[in-house]
Amino acid sequence: MLKSDATPARKNPGAPDQNPVSKDNKRTQAVAGFLRQIEPAERSAEPADVESAVIEQAPLQGTAPASEPSTTARPIGEVELKLLVDADRMAHFGAAPVVAANARNKGSRKHLKSVYYDTPERTLRRAGLSLRVRQSGTRFVQTVKTDAADDPLRRGEWEASVASLAPDPALAMPFIPEKLREQLETQPLEAVFTADIHRHTRIVDLPSGTVEIAFDQGELTAGDRSLPVSEIELELKSGSASAIYEIALRLAEHGAVKPSIRSKSARGFDLAADKAPSARRPGKLRLDPSVTLDEAFAIILRSCFLHLLQSLPAAEDGRNPEGVHQLRVSLRRLRSALDLMRSAGALSNLDALRSEARWLAQDLSAARDWDVFQLDTLPAIAKACPSVAGFDALGRVAAQRQSEAYRKAHLALDDRRCAVFLISLGGWIETRGWRNDVAAEDLGRLAEPAVNFAQRVLSAQHAKVLKRGRRFKSLTVDEVHRVRLATKRLRYLGEFLLPLFADRKSARKFARRLAGLQEELGAFNDMAVMASLLDGLGAEDRDSAIAAAAIAGWQARASIGVQQTLQDSWRDFTAARVPWSSLN
């Protein structure tokens, strides 16, 4: 079984991140994660080696020249995926058939020592940037990297030679957002952590592309804390990124692997701060109204896959309850996206992918339910009912159930089935496999404007929600549950497709009212979930049984107030003007 990056414990969830993207079709340049226009005279003549590269990088004009002995910064686009493996299995992966049969030679071995820098306030880290200086032999290279924006594999990266392990801030400034430069000029950089890595690198050539495989073993160190590193890094050198997934899938057949996009930088900063991995909420989609349905599918699926991969470290670590929550949300979003694609025609692989996503989500649900009970429901009611004994005893029984649920979740995440699902999904998205799956008579739909498709799909789902909610005040609990499921589907479809109508105030207003309705329906459903948890809790003594009864009574009383709020939200939702109405 693979080891997670840290010992499980519980901490508060991290904050969501934002992902800026371009809003038009003009040529753009990504500088430290922020897009700006490249004027014709400014464009670099350096050719891109990677197929469909999403960023073009060059130093900003008007910056001070690099000081000696540094050289001019060299722009690079990094496309990579990591596979976390057990250290004692690394040699077996190095001898895997896909490597042995396709590697150019025996490769090279290096001892890499890196120091990662930031300000005391972690200015770079909070902006989604990292700055390191790496020593390999007698050479020192300073690198600035950005976090992934909207693609799981791609990050911005800029390198420059320096004289020693000490950083040269002047060389980094061209790639730092202007609003941060003043802070960096006034705040000293400090060493945050170090990485000591032994790397065996080999170049593998496949028909789909050339990939550099780095077998990394070593350690990250921050003060008196350390973290082992044992991973295989797949970096695209030329061709299609599908080559990365092809190799990853072949390696997964050879032994246990965990796909990851979490950088050594992210792990090192969390190690230095002694904190759990953050659990990010999904970034907002940006879809141009003129985009084709094929391109819209690619953007939506990449967003879902990125959210899924970003959620995995926190879920595996276990200390941050938001990790399991966001992982479940990412799987629901993915299933909704796959369901959405069914509307374009019959796709043979959708059912298999959706089935795997459902399997993984089911093994996470109990852990999330017990997190809510332990962190929200139980403490809130215990505080409101100080005269009732038994809450502590009930909490101990619930903690056992919570621990059992997390063990089940971690077994699923450690299962080879999970790794194969993630790698297969990534490869299917990268190659746009739906093009091969769709029936010939439906291929033409992929070239249609996505906005027309969005109008049809949103209109149909909106009508379904309204139909299920007729005579809302008199609906039974089961009927309200059916409304909730239809509303949840409309909410996800709205997240995916309403950006096509983002220039309209009605889209934002409709989204707010839809979100409000789903929130109230979710609160109503949570009460039913809590009731089922209490039924299976099996209070062990009289006091804990009294506490369980107090929670049940509290929830029953609260449900009365929820019903009125729910009816108000339903009324507001049904009165909202749909943003696609003027297209009819």
Side-chain angles (χ1 to χ4, degrees):
M1 185 180 297
L2 297 172
K3 306 294 188 298
S4 61
D5 286 341
T7 303
R10 302 275 183 245
K11 283 192 178 181
N12 292 329
D17 294 335
Q18 294 180 340
N19 300 321
V21 294
S22 178
K23 295 183 179 180
D24 55 33
N25 294 325
K26 296 180 181 179
R27 195 174 183 189
T28 57
Q29 174 187 28
V31 178
F34 293 79
L35 297 174
R36 73 183 188 91
Q37 300 299 327
I38 300 179
E39 298 302 327
E42 185 183 9
R43 295 174 183 169
S44 169
E46 186 172 9
D49 192 32
V50 178
E51 178 185 84
S52 303
V54 297
I55 54 176
E56 295 181 49
Q57 299 142 334
L60 294 176
Q61 290 186 333
T63 56
S67 56
E68 294 296 336
S70 302
T71 60
T72 302
R74 181 169 62 91
I76 304 172
E78 184 179 63
V79 182
E80 70 173 29
L81 176 70
K82 300 177 189 296
L83 300 175
L84 308 184
V85 302
D86 281 338
D88 58 2
R89 294 284 299 170
M90 186 67 80
H92 297 278
F93 285 107
V98 67
V99 178
N102 298 286
R104 293 179 182 177
N105 48 45
K106 298 290 184 180
S108 62
R109 298 181 184 271
K110 296 179 181 179
H111 184 194
L112 306 175
K113 297 180 179 180
S114 303
V115 181
Y116 288 75
Y117 295 90
D118 207 338
T119 67
E121 291 77 17
R122 302 296 182 258
T123 302
L124 294 174
R125 178 70 182 150
R126 287 187 284 106
L129 305 171
S130 68
L131 172 64
R132 77 163 186 236
V133 179
R134 170 177 287 173
Q135 178 184 4
S136 177
T138 59
R139 187 182 179 216
F140 299 89
V141 177
Q142 176 175 287
T143 305
V144 176
K145 288 190 179 185
T146 68
D147 287 342
D150 58 358
D151 190 297
L153 300 189
R154 293 170 172 85
R155 297 196 302 160
E157 178 179 288
W158 297 265
E159 290 185 350
S161 295
V162 291
S164 68
L165 278 173
D168 185 341
L171 279 178
M173 287 301 175
F175 313 109
I176 303 298
E178 189 172 349
K179 63 181 180 181
L180 299 182
R181 293 180 195 173
E182 184 175 345
Q183 298 180 46
L184 293 177
E185 289 170 352
T186 58
Q187 298 176 7
L189 291 174
E190 63 179 19
V192 180
F193 69 95
T194 61
D196 194 316
I197 304 296
H198 291 273
R199 169 171 289 181
H200 180 200
T201 303
R202 303 186 73 176
I203 300 294
V204 172
D205 293 307
L206 296 179
S208 54
T210 297
V211 176
E212 179 184 87
I213 304 182
F215 302 90
D216 285 357
Q217 288 186 286
E219 188 175 59
L220 306 180
T221 304
D224 59 355
R225 289 188 288 272
S226 63
L227 184 69
V229 173
S230 179
E231 64 188 28
I232 302 171
E233 189 174 282
L234 308 174
E235 182 174 348
L236 186 67
K237 309 309 289 185
S238 65
S240 169
S242 63
I244 288 179
Y245 291 110
E246 183 178 348
I247 294 175
L249 197 58
R250 300 277 291 278
L251 290 175
E253 296 171 354
H254 198 68
V257 302
K258 280 188 177 180
S260 175
I261 58 171
R262 191 168 180 239
S263 65
K264 294 182 181 70
S265 171
R267 282 174 277 174
F269 275 100
D270 286 343
L271 176 68
D274 193 22
K275 59 177 287 190
S278 60
R280 303 182 180 186
R281 296 178 182 179
K284 291 184 178 180
L285 284 175
R286 300 288 188 268
L287 291 175
D288 189 288
S290 64
V291 73
T292 66
L293 184 57
D294 183 63
E295 183 62 23
F297 283 162
I299 294 171
I300 291 168
L301 288 169
R302 280 201 301 265
S303 170
C304 295
F305 190 44
L306 177 61
H307 185 208
L308 200 167
L309 292 178
Q310 288 176 332
S311 303
L312 276 172
E316 291 168 344
D317 177 88
R319 288 178 288 173
N320 183 350
E322 190 70 6
V324 165
H325 175 51
Q326 288 303 322
L327 185 54
R328 290 183 71 221
V329 171
S330 72
L331 290 166
R332 285 201 300 265
R333 294 179 75 238
L334 173 63
R335 287 161 59 192
S336 294
L338 295 174
D339 285 343
L340 170 66
M341 297 177 74
R342 282 176 172 163
S343 303
L347 297 174
S348 58
N349 281 333
L350 285 187
D351 287 341
L353 291 170
R354 195 182 186 284
S355 175
E356 292 301 274
R358 182 179 179 83
W359 158 75
L360 186 55
Q362 285 177 333
D363 281 349
L364 300 172
S365 60
R368 175 58 183 170
D369 291 342
W370 285 113
D371 277 343
V372 173
F373 182 84
Q374 282 285 74
L375 299 174
D376 297 332
T377 305
L378 183 63
I381 299 177
K383 183 179 180 181
C385 304
S387 62
V388 177
F391 285 111
D392 289 343
L394 189 65
R396 287 191 292 271
V397 177
Q400 294 176 356
R401 299 287 194 277
Q402 184 184 33
S403 180
E404 293 168 2
Y406 263 87
R407 277 197 293 271
K408 180 181 180 181
H410 287 140
L411 284 174
L413 294 175
D414 286 338
D415 196 314
R416 178 180 175 274
R417 180 178 176 182
C418 176
V420 171
F421 161 58
L422 294 174
I423 297 169
S424 300
L425 174 64
W428 188 73
I429 295 171
E430 187 64 38
T431 60
R432 303 198 183 190
W434 57 88
R435 293 176 175 175
N436 299 324
D437 293 341
V438 71
E441 59 270 20
D442 294 325
L443 271 174
R445 295 187 184 181
L446 296 178
E448 293 180 355
V451 68
N452 296 340
F453 173 82
Q455 179 192 10
R456 294 194 300 269
V457 171
L458 289 170
S459 180
Q461 187 62 29
H462 182 250
K464 180 179 290 187
V465 173
L466 295 179
K467 181 178 180 180
R468 290 189 177 181
R470 286 176 183 170
R471 302 181 181 86
F472 191 82
K473 290 183 179 181
S474 60
L475 295 182
T476 65
V477 172
D478 288 342
E479 289 170 336
V480 171
H481 178 64
R482 294 180 70 241
V483 174
R484 184 183 70 85
L485 295 179
T487 302
K488 182 191 295 186
R489 173 166 167 73
L490 181 60
R491 172 78 182 277
Y492 285 126
L493 292 179
E495 287 184 10
F496 297 148
L497 301 175
L498 282 180
L500 292 166
F501 311 93
D503 60 328
R504 305 179 185 189
K505 292 183 180 179
S506 60
R508 295 189 293 271
K509 185 175 182 179
F510 180 82
R512 285 195 301 269
R513 294 194 179 185
L514 175 59
L517 175 61
Q518 190 198 0
E519 184 176 346
E520 295 301 330
L521 286 166
F524 189 79
N525 182 71
D526 287 345
M527 292 180 181
V529 172
M530 290 301 110
S532 66
L533 291 182
L534 287 171
D535 288 342
L537 199 52
E540 297 178 345
D541 54 41
R542 179 176 178 275
D543 284 345
S544 59
I546 292 174
I551 293 176
W554 183 279
Q555 296 276 52
R557 180 178 180 275
S559 66
I560 299 174
V562 167
Q563 287 176 356
Q564 182 58 54
T565 306
L566 184 55
Q567 290 171 10
D568 293 341
S569 295
W570 175 257
R571 185 181 61 252
D572 290 342
F573 167 73
T574 56
R577 175 177 174 270
V578 296
W580 56 87
S581 59
S582 63
L583 296 182
N584 293 326

